[in-house]
Amino acid sequence: SWCLGGVQYKTWRFLSLMYGRYTQELGVYAKEEAARLRESGQRRSVSRTLDLLEYDKGRCAKCRICTVRCQKFLISRVGEDWIFLILLGLLMALVSWVMDFCIAICLQAQKWMYGGLDSNVFLQYLAWVTYPVVLITFSAGFTQILAPQAVGSGIPEMKTILRGVVLKEYLTFKTFVAKVIGLTCALGSGMPLGKEGPFVHIASLCAALLSKFMSLFGGIYENESRNIEMLAAACAVGVGCCFAAPIGGVLFSIEVTSTFFAVRNYWRGFFAATFSAFIFRVLAVWNRDEETITALFKTSFRLDFPFDLQELPAFAVIGIANGFGGALFVYLNRLIVQFMRKQKAINRFLMKKRLLYPALVTLLISTLTFPPGFGQFMAGKLTQKESLVTLLDNRTWAKQGIAEEFDYIGHSEAWKHPQVNVFVTLVLFIVMKFWMSALATTIPVPCGAFMPVFVIGAAFGRLVGESMAAWFPDGIHTDGTIYPIVPGGYAVVGAAALSGAVTHTVSTAVIVFELTGQISHILPVMIAVILANAVAQSLQPSLYDSIIRIKKLPYLPELGWGHHEKYNIRVEDIMVRDVRYITLNCSYRDLHNVLLTGHLKTLALVESTESMILLGSIERAQLQALLSLQLGRPRRLAYIRERAVEDKKRLSVVSNDSSENSSHRASQEVRFQVRGHSGQRCKKCFQPFKAHYFQSHRKKCLQNVTAEFCMSSKITEWEEKQLDEQVNFNNCKIDPAPFQLVERTSLHKTHTIFSLLGLDHAFVTSIGRLIGVVSLKELRKAIEGSVTVKGAKVRPPLASFRDSGTSSSENEATELHKLWDRHKSMPLPREHTPSESDEKSQ
Amino acid sequence: SWCLGGVQYKTWRFLSLMYGRYTQELGVYAKEEAARLRESGQRRSVSRTLDLLEYDKGRCAKCRICTVRCQKFLISRVGEDWIFLILLGLLMALVSWVMDFCIAICLQAQKWMYGGLDSNVFLQYLAWVTYPVVLITFSAGFTQILAPQAVGSGIPEMKTILRGVVLKEYLTFKTFVAKVIGLTCALGSGMPLGKEGPFVHIASLCAALLSKFMSLFGGIYENESRNIEMLAAACAVGVGCCFAAPIGGVLFSIEVTSTFFAVRNYWRGFFAATFSAFIFRVLAVWNRDEETITALFKTSFRLDFPFDLQELPAFAVIGIANGFGGALFVYLNRLIVQFMRKQKAINRFLMKKRLLYPALVTLLISTLTFPPGFGQFMAGKLTQKESLVTLLDNRTWAKQGIAEEFDYIGHSEAWKHPQVNVFVTLVLFIVMKFWMSALATTIPVPCGAFMPVFVIGAAFGRLVGESMAAWFPDGIHTDGTIYPIVPGGYAVVGAAALSGAVTHTVSTAVIVFELTGQISHILPVMIAVILANAVAQSLQPSLYDSIIRIKKLPYLPELGWGHHEKYNIRVEDIMVRDVRYITLNCSYRDLHNVLLTGHLKTLALVESTESMILLGSIERAQLQALLSLQLGRPRRLAYIRERAVEDKKRLSVVSNDSSENSSHRASQEVRFQVRGHSGQRCKKCFQPFKAHYFQSHRKKCLQNVTAEFCMSSKITEWEEKQLDEQVNFNNCKIDPAPFQLVERTSLHKTHTIFSLLGLDHAFVTSIGRLIGVVSLKELRKAIEGSVTVKGAKVRPPLASFRDSGTSSSENEATELHKLWDRHKSMPLPREHTPSESDEKSQ
């Protein structure tokens, strides 16, 4: 379905590999050249200054020489990667810190309002509820108006962009503003939303904008493949500065966005993410929030004996349970989206009142968490951050199964309820937060799901840990010293496992180490994360893949673990044998017919129908340009002018009196139609055009009804003649080396090649002869046929709901369509309708 | 120079992508099919048993059904990846643990001997020195005899293998045994050698052997690309179980061995490495070495205030200094190897006495570390492990610049000397160990350099830390609590930075966290590692790349950071325009001429000299086979037989008396020569062959001297005729889709494609027309021209020294030559001599 209605799946990566600078428009090239000249000019002038100065022997001159040298050095360094990465890291650290600051203020304001109104419960409730509703509604409205692309986490889109798909609207300044402000409001509301996913997007936006800005100084920033590399580094920076977790950030961004990763980019990611995390934490120190640079959610578990070997089964249980939990979360999230889209009545209503859905969801969630109400049984008072801090606490809350009178300092008392056991509170917290988070992440605001899931996982881990502590009050270790069980360690394991299961990543393990500042639980965490991943991956796609499917972004599914039938399927089993091709000596009529019937973006060029030797491939747009050049207005006008001159000569003997009349008629629209080869009539006409020529030469033209009629039939005749001419490929951009496979290539290898090179299709040849074509569609079908992911089949959502803003794929499609149309000098005779291809690809 | 004398650079990866199963020999295919049938047979029989059992309704039957089901399930799972990975992890953990155990015993034995002889210093010295000399000599001799491929770390070879080069001798059982036993002895000697690098190799060997073993059960293990994936996972396991560092292991192995890696393999690596590390540590718990699973070199720095923000400059200094140190280490290591190779006198002597060099080096090093001698000033008493434990200690050794009477418990007292300051001890330790490690790693035994470098780095960090502690006795923090400086933290930073600089990796940061079990110093460590990398990478290649260059393994250099000229170099600037090609309708003479002149492994097949349309590529061996088929013995014999029959007819009228005589003559060797096209005589003759035909038909043949002479001239004539025939490509394996580039592709993109696909050459085409070819050689030259790595130019080592065993490239070359020769049914008329190509490629 990803080749639907105009999602311009540009195989930039491979084509640009082939074309080099061919595909760059001349304007861009000129700009680049200009930038280079400018830079070299600067250098030259600097060196001239230097030469001049060296004659001067004064003391001051030395300083100035030094300054000029520095300047020279700096200018030459502007193009270097590390300058860019440092700037990116700095910028993102500032953005992250400022955003955190604003969010903290927002949350404090809510607490202050709630606290100030403690005389009246109703007023308190109103304040508690209104505040998030207003913020979320504002966020949703603002995003909707400014840039609907900013909705959601952005990781699915970044994955698609890094895969090589051009989604230009996702990397604009508007989107940046919408995402930053929208995210701040959304998180400030206290809803169970996360900042990680959006931060990946924000960092990418930053990188894209910074690239644009830096390109003012040097030409290197125009390079497309370099920009993609920088985007990959930016994703790492996003996670790194969000959690102050550089290593985890790099790994997480790799796992979430890439299939194949260049170790080159990995350096860049580490460098930028470390710098960013460093600045982010230094800002906290400077602001006197912290005494020194430490972890964000610092824990203080004992180091000498972090856990006993016999506790490992409990950790494994957490891993497996969280694996199921993660799959359930992804399923629930998709279910909610699908339910909203399927119910036509709801759908129609929500489309009209776009901000109603966010408001209603927020109202529901904040009502349930109202502390004097139900919230008292689920620590509703605590913000997400506070909950996490308390959950990772290194003291035990419960002993012997009863909540004892231990020293609930700080926020921990929120978990204590006079009537209710701490276990009940934890269970309620887990259950309520689970569906709340799944629901909240469907709100059309910039938001991620990582942090809510992380907190739920921590709560589940804590629950298991508290149970273990209650079961073994003196710890499990038998000989010698008593080592009581640390439920906080279980919380760490649970958090890593659940977030790993939802995102299908292992690097959440590294993120928890960096977040807590302790690595003592490494083996339990790794075991739980791997088990959770194994379970979740066999049940559901990752949350990001699920969103990719819902949004119908172009993608290539992953090959699952150990499905070795993949090695036995060959390309010949899945390829399309009926390939559309054009021959080197074909006529425009053949070209026309090929364009009428197929709808592939790229067509094969073969030597002749007999030999079928593949010479290259031509983009559809190129062929359309060729065709319109042959049949288009300029040549048509030239022909008409020629005819007119002839007619004039012929009619010069006839009287001049009907000139006014005839010129009026001549100015009428001249329509013509192109007929298909097999007598089939075209459904769409060439666009009518005004015969400007006649209008401007109104006075000079001598035309009468006979001439006009004659002209119309002459034009048809002319067209037929034009169509029979042989195509001249001289000015046509031909990709001379389209990717070729042989029929015995296995599915596994084909998948590898497609992912490596970001291909969209490949021709199948046998000793130079074209015998078939494989596109992403066939490949995807073949993979999904063999890797049967149960429950992962996503129904096509109602197109109408897409307008309401929960999904921005429609906008994007329209935008891409526009871009696509720009390439076409005139609309083509017959275009396949999007709905048709939609149906086909389902 | 890596395309020299027969190093068969097989581009298996890309070619096999293209060929699918074409290139597999029929025998392999048959075996695979048989395995598949066997497996399905098993399944069938199991299900039959199940069907039968389900009729039986007894209680016991249920159990049996269950058992059979389990059996069925297990058999179907044997082929799954995770079974393989678990087995691999288990095996490697056991190997690692047993080896550690043996090494510990060896080291204890030395200590015991040394301690027992404390009455006589001379005896003590003898014991101290003899022990390592014997062990190292044994290790060197054993390795030399059993498998010279086991020498060194093995990481450079693994990098080359994962790049797609077939180095079969490196993955045999012999090598495994040699590596394990050789490494145990080498490390048991107490020399400054490491186990990490060899462990990567051992794990890969394990994986390769396990693959072979598992292929007895299922056909999937025959798949080449799967095996490469498993090797990548094995590298991670190697590091993981060596240091009990699963995350660091995966990352380190990726950085060290790959240019591009699949996120798919990353999962496998994590899974296997975690399991392996887990088992490795559990074994320690079961052996009562540890109370529970903890880090290998557990530290206990304070958590609340690990370091002050103002200490960061000191950390940065460590990073930069270690960057220079790392580069120096690599340079020193290479210098020693080159010095040994260049000095002809030494070279000749050492070649004769192969075990003398290891013995001499060991003698020198152990003499210097003799504790009552110079060793007292450099903590010579301590083993590598003990040194590291003391260096990471969380107490301060020195205050106010003087070694105070603090509680030197355990091994720490080794650093204390009554006359000498602890700073002097540290400096001496660093300087001595530095050159000792660089020297020791050139000994031809299985050994790595990671651990020695790690210890030196830790010592340097400690030195800086102790200085800081002396400088700021009450810590730097100004307000409130006093937080004294922790020199152990500096040691951690130093260790990560120096090992990162030597290996050009960032993941050493993760390794130190996992080794020490504390992540509190994450930011200093990351900053120091990145700075060290930046410095080292700009000065020298990594240690592994340096060894690759010394050993002249085929490689593709990395693109450096931010050298943006790469984007401006095009393929047309570097390609070879004078391409050797064969046309579709060429004669055998053309084929012969092409084979005579060129020496590329693969030749282009074009349609005709006029059109130059590229149809595919043919391997040289294929063409040689074609040529020898046309001119080879069977056809020659057939022709001779034919002639003989004719002669017989002709001579049947002549008397029979001279038959005995003539048949004797006929049994003499018939020699013939093939002449070159331009009258140039071939230097190498076709191998003479006995005319078996005549021998077996001795009685029947009627031949005389005239006939023989006639035959010789007839054969020449026949040859000429055969050479003029048109080549029949029917039975020839043609790669129908060789990799093509266009002339405008940038160097950067070409590099990416070459690394991604493991290419060895690519044709440059312009709309199907062949215009040039780019091979790794051109690419390497272009990259090294633009990325001027100073001091990295390695002189060609003397070939003679290679025999002495310090480098195994000669063996490997010979081996590959053998393989290569196997392809040739008979030696070719004229082969380019290795020395010639050697000179050219230098």
Side-chain angles (χ1 to χ4, degrees), chain A residues 308-442:
Chain A
D308 194 87
L309 201 55
Q310 293 164 61
E311 290 178 55
L312 281 177
F315 293 122
V317 165
I318 292 178
I320 292 167
N322 276 346
F324 284 107
L328 185 64
F329 185 86
V330 174
Y331 179 69
L332 197 63
N333 183 281
R334 200 172 51 237
L335 210 67
I336 295 168
V337 174
Q338 281 171 5
F339 176 77
M340 299 307 294
R341 290 191 181 181
K342 266 189 193 162
Q343 298 295 315
K344 288 201 176 171
I346 303 177
N347 205 341
R348 221 172 296 130
F349 180 69
L350 288 180
M351 220 182 74
K352 278 178 203 154
K353 317 269 179 194
R354 290 185 179 185
L355 301 179
L356 200 64
Y357 177 69
L360 279 177
V361 170
T362 315
L363 185 68
L364 176 66
I365 292 175
S366 53
T367 303
L368 282 173
T369 54
F370 182 54
F374 189 75
Q376 64 185 303
F377 303 112
M378 52 171 285
K381 212 165 74 181
L382 300 180
T383 65
Q384 200 160 272
K385 212 167 172 175
E386 287 163 356
S387 318
L388 192 55
V389 168
T390 53
L391 286 171
L392 298 179
D393 196 73
N394 64 334
R395 284 156 306 171
T396 312
W397 292 351
K399 273 181 185 160
Q400 326 291 351
I402 308 139
E404 275 184 10
E405 305 302 309
F406 70 93
D407 179 28
Y408 282 108
I409 53 148
H411 300 297
S412 292
E413 59 181 300
W415 295 98
K416 190 194 170 193
H417 191 270
Q419 282 90 47
V420 182
N421 195 310
V422 76
F423 293 103
V424 177
T425 319
L426 273 171
V427 169
L428 278 176
F429 179 85
I430 294 164
V431 172
M432 298 304 281
K433 283 280 174 184
F434 195 85
W435 69 260
M436 280 177 183
S437 303
L439 182 61
T441 45
T442 65

Side-chain angles (χ1 to χ4, degrees), chain B residues 618-663:
Chain B
I618 306 187
E619 273 184 63
R620 197 187 174 79
Q622 285 285 328
L623 292 180
Q624 287 169 345
L626 271 183
L627 199 61
S628 60
L629 202 73
Q630 182 73 0
L631 294 174
R633 195 160 57 175
R635 291 206 62 203
R636 231 171 254 280
L637 286 180
Y639 171 71
I640 289 168
R641 195 185 306 149
E642 208 178 87
R643 297 284 318 162
V645 171
E646 273 177 38
D647 286 354
K648 193 180 172 185
K649 276 178 193 162
R650 196 156 50 82
L651 294 175
S652 58
V653 288
V654 185
S655 69
N656 236 348
D657 56 24
S658 65
S659 72
E660 206 60 30
N661 196 16
S662 68
S663 67

Side-chain angles (χ1 to χ4, degrees), chain A residues 29 69 103 200 239 263 266 330 367 376 479 504 557 617 730 748 772 774-775:
Chain A
Y29 184 69
R69 268 186 211 278
I103 292 167
V200 169
V239 187
V263 176
Y266 174 90
V330 174
T367 303
Q376 64 185 303
D479 42 320
H504 285 196
S617 71
N730 281 353
H748 183 255
V774 182
S775 72

Side-chain angles (χ1 to χ4, degrees), chain A residues 94 169 220 275 280 385 491 573 635 647 768 793 841:
Chain A
L94 284 170
E169 277 298 294
I220 188 67
F275 188 77
F280 178 62
K385 212 167 172 175
D573 305 330
R635 292 206 60 201
D647 286 353
K793 271 161 207 144
S841 54

Side-chain angles (χ1 to χ4, degrees), chain B residues 501-627:
Chain B
V502 168
T503 56
H504 286 197
T505 55
V506 192
S507 50
T508 50
V510 184
I511 292 179
V512 295
F513 301 140
E514 291 180 283
L515 271 182
T516 61
Q518 282 204 294
I519 205 172
S520 49
H521 282 77
I522 177 160
L523 276 177
V525 168
M526 289 300 295
I527 289 168
V529 167
I530 285 170
L531 286 174
N533 262 290
V535 172
Q537 288 187 16
S538 62
L539 293 174
Q540 283 282 321
S542 83
L543 184 64
Y544 306 122
D545 284 339
S546 164
I547 294 173
I548 283 181
R549 290 179 199 198
I550 290 173
K551 286 199 173 182
K552 301 178 148 279
L553 296 169
Y555 80 108
L556 184 63
E558 273 305 297
L559 292 173
W561 262 53
H563 292 269
H564 36 83
E565 57 268 36
K566 289 187 305 285
Y567 296 101
N568 299 329
I569 300 175
R570 307 277 163 198
V571 161
E572 56 186 344
D573 305 330
I574 61 168
M575 72 182 179
V576 175
R577 285 172 191 276
D578 177 31
V579 199
R580 302 277 148 202
Y581 62 87
I582 43 173
T583 58
L584 204 55
N585 47 7
C586 68
S587 67
Y588 282 96
R589 192 180 302 281
D590 301 332
L591 209 67
H592 182 209
N593 293 337
V594 166
L595 287 174
L596 281 184
T597 46
H599 51 81
L600 260 175
K601 292 284 171 293
T602 323
L603 286 151
L605 175 68
V606 300
E607 204 197 23
S608 66
T609 316
E610 294 77 43
S611 74
M612 284 297 278
I613 288 176
L614 184 67
L615 295 180
S617 70
I618 306 187
E619 273 184 63
R620 197 187 174 79
Q622 285 285 328
L623 292 180
Q624 287 169 345
L626 271 183
L627 199 61

